[in-house]
Amino acid sequence: MKKTYFSLTAVLLAVFLFAGQALAATAIPRWPQPEWFAQFASRPPVQEEKPEEKPVPEEKPEKAAGEITLTAAEQYVFTAINQERVKRGLAPLAMNPELTRLARLKSKDLAENNYFAHRSPTYGSAYDMMRREGIRYSYAGENLAKTTAAANAVSLFLNSSTHRSTLLNPRFNQTGVGIYQLGRQVYVTQMFIGSR
């Protein structure tokens, strides 16, 4: 009888453990990251031209606002975000070369140190990075995406209420976009600042 009791207990324990793992695998993360939203992104936002799908380091840079040089992927994100802002009655963001430089550093750091978070083990937060570089602001924010193409990053940002509220924040008037590719993974960092 004892042997049967222990066998039944072991079977029940295995069933509960398996059910718990299956439930955990399908549960919505407590703080969803952009890669979690990728499962819902069926297509990139409507666009007239399809961006080049070359790896970021090999792309030829394009001139953006002023003398700032952006890759084609960075230009795509910058343009798509500004189109969304204008469509919603907001002023477009100006490209800030220092924010672009910091955003590129952050994207490279994400890839090379294999993490995905707003706080970098190397640089700290985006606010820490900006302060160290002497960038003055009244308001600041950051959006991150880990995906396979710049167009997907824009979709992720727009389909996430938190990221969308950051890029549509009327207090922001400047931005920087930095993209780094490692293998098939594309890391996108967009930093925002605004002044009173």
Side-chain angles (χ1 to χ4, degrees), residues 60-183:
K60 292 187 177 180
E62 295 179 2
K63 290 287 182 183
E67 292 297 314
I68 304 165
T69 303
L70 299 176
T71 65
E74 290 167 342
Q75 181 66 47
Y76 174 79
V77 172
F78 174 66
T79 302
I81 296 306
N82 269 340
Q83 285 173 347
E84 191 65 27
R85 284 179 63 93
V86 169
K87 188 165 71 175
R88 310 260 185 140
L90 298 168
L93 300 166
M95 183 55 66
N96 181 309
E98 283 303 302
L99 289 180
T100 297
R101 187 176 65 77
L102 294 182
R104 286 173 177 168
L105 286 173
K106 177 66 177 277
S107 290
K108 185 176 182 187
D109 188 50
L110 289 168
E112 291 182 346
N113 290 305
N114 195 28
Y115 74 98
F116 192 79
H118 288 288
R119 178 162 288 282
S120 160
T122 309
Y123 302 111
S125 70
Y127 315 109
D128 296 331
M129 294 176 78
M130 291 178 203
R131 278 193 292 268
R132 265 195 305 278
E133 295 300 316
I135 297 173
R136 294 174 171 248
Y137 60 87
S138 302
Y139 310 98
E142 178 185 60
N143 277 347
L144 303 175
K146 178 181 174 186
T147 184
T148 55
N152 292 346
V154 174
S155 292
L156 291 171
F157 291 156
L158 293 174
N159 289 322
S160 159
S161 59
T162 306
H163 295 88
R164 188 172 58 247
S165 67
T166 300
L167 66 91
L168 296 177
N169 189 329
R171 292 177 172 168
F172 295 145
N173 54 25
Q174 295 179 52
T175 191
V177 179
I179 297 179
Y180 187 81
Q181 184 167 349
L182 184 63

